[in-house]
Amino acid sequence: CEVRDEVEPAGKWAFDSQVTDAFDDMFSRSIPEYESMRRLVFNVGCGFVQNQTDVVDLGCARGEALAPFVDKFGAYNRYTGVEISDPMAQACRERFKAYEHSGLVKIRQEDLRTFYPPVTSSLTLSIMTIQFVPIEYRQRIIQNVFRSTCSGGAFILAEKVLGRDDRTNVTLVEEYHRLKKEHGYSQEQIERKSLSLEGVLVPVTAAWNEDLLRTAGFSHVDCFWRVLNFAAWVAIK
């Protein structure tokens, strides 16, 4: 059955208070096999966390990706979330306020195009974040990730991707839109959302993302999750 979307974009997409309030439910209905992706990011990421290092989440939103690592590793590590959106950063600070007061968690409201946290990370996460950064800044950001990662550490990147060519991309998008309809989105909502994201969310191919990771210096890169036009990689230093 059709349900009303929590966010009705009138113009260009923005991570405002309306999106922040609906974010987790919106993601779960918009990304195929979303819970599987979240679970795998955590399970794969746990294998790289080293004591007394930083766990970093780039584009931490409301803290959904960072929270299970805080719960599991606690005071053995430090945790940093970077988020450009003020409503998102405030929601994340509220979520971790007890940990922020103790200094265990830091939420930085910053723009990754001009800022990178001073960390020594064994694990960095970027879950559906780099796709919102203009293409010309992406290599620099991933190079910053590599430089801040300790030996044996890893970067987990999850992104929306394009198909290898126009024909396969059309097929992937058509199936993706069919799944969104199954999750309660109307055709009008799907089209309006797509228009609002034009020029804001700019995906590239899986191969392009892998090239960015290898060019930055990561010697071991592999895709561990892919459903239609969404994928996640682990890149090991």
Side-chain angles (χ1 to χ4, degrees):
C1 63
E2 181 179 322
V3 296
R4 186 181 184 275
D5 193 7
E6 297 88 345
V7 179
E8 299 285 352
K12 286 295 182 184
W13 185 264
F15 288 96
D16 55 18
S17 58
Q18 187 183 19
V19 169
T20 298
D21 291 341
F23 187 73
D24 292 332
D25 178 68
M26 181 178 61
F27 252 40
S28 68
R29 293 199 293 127
S30 297
I31 298 176
E33 301 295 333
Y34 172 77
E35 294 300 331
S36 171
M37 181 270 289
R38 285 292 197 198
R39 184 171 60 253
L40 283 170
V41 165
F42 175 64
N43 289 344
V44 172
C46 282
F48 297 95
V49 176
Q50 302 172 28
N51 284 352
Q52 302 306 311
T53 61
D54 297 283
V55 176
V56 180
D57 188 4
L58 305 179
C60 60
R62 297 172 60 92
E64 193 69 14
L66 197 58
F69 292 97
V70 177
D71 291 342
K72 181 176 177 65
F73 296 101
Y76 289 103
N77 293 91
R78 303 173 297 271
Y79 309 89
T80 297
V82 182
E83 176 55 56
I84 192 173
S85 161
D86 179 66
M88 287 288 195
Q90 293 303 322
C92 198
R93 287 187 178 118
E94 179 64 25
R95 180 173 194 162
F96 294 116
K97 62 182 177 181
Y99 296 106
E100 272 214 295
H101 290 157
S102 68
L104 193 66
V105 175
K106 293 182 180 178
I107 305 302
R108 307 288 299 265
Q109 187 186 343
E110 301 281 357
D111 187 337
L112 288 167
R113 291 176 294 182
T114 57
F115 169 85
Y116 199 83
V119 294
T120 301
S121 59
S122 58
L123 178 66
T124 301
L125 309 174
S126 176
I127 311 302
M128 308 299 165
T129 296
I130 302 297
Q131 62 197 26
F132 289 101
V133 177
I135 288 176
E136 61 267 29
Y137 293 96
R138 297 183 190 185
Q139 188 70 73
R140 183 195 307 170
I141 292 170
I142 296 175
Q143 285 172 334
N144 286 338
V145 175
F146 180 80
R147 281 193 292 267
S148 73
T149 301
C150 61
S151 178
F155 176 38
I156 291 181
L157 173 69
E159 292 276 281
K160 188 175 185 180
V161 296
L162 298 174
R164 287 179 179 270
D165 53 46
D166 289 344
R167 184 66 189 92
T168 56
N169 193 62
V170 167
T171 299
L172 293 175
V173 171
E174 287 177 348
E175 180 61 14
Y176 172 52
H177 287 175
R178 187 188 68 78
L179 288 174
K180 289 190 73 171
K181 287 179 182 178
E182 288 183 0
H183 291 167
Y185 288 91
S186 68
Q187 183 63 35
E188 181 184 1
Q189 288 170 331
I190 292 169
E191 291 174 358
R192 187 161 59 243
K193 178 82 168 289
S194 296
L195 285 172
S196 74
L197 285 167
E198 282 187 1
V200 178
L201 191 167
V202 182
V204 296
T205 63
W208 192 336
N209 280 307
E210 291 173 8
D211 286 345
L212 289 174
L213 293 166
R214 291 193 175 94
T215 299
F218 289 102
S219 53
H220 306 280
V221 177
D222 210 342
C223 179
F224 65 88
W225 174 83
R226 175 147 187 185
V227 180
L228 298 176
N229 49 343
F230 291 86
W233 298 264
V234 59
I236 308 169
K237 184 171 181 178

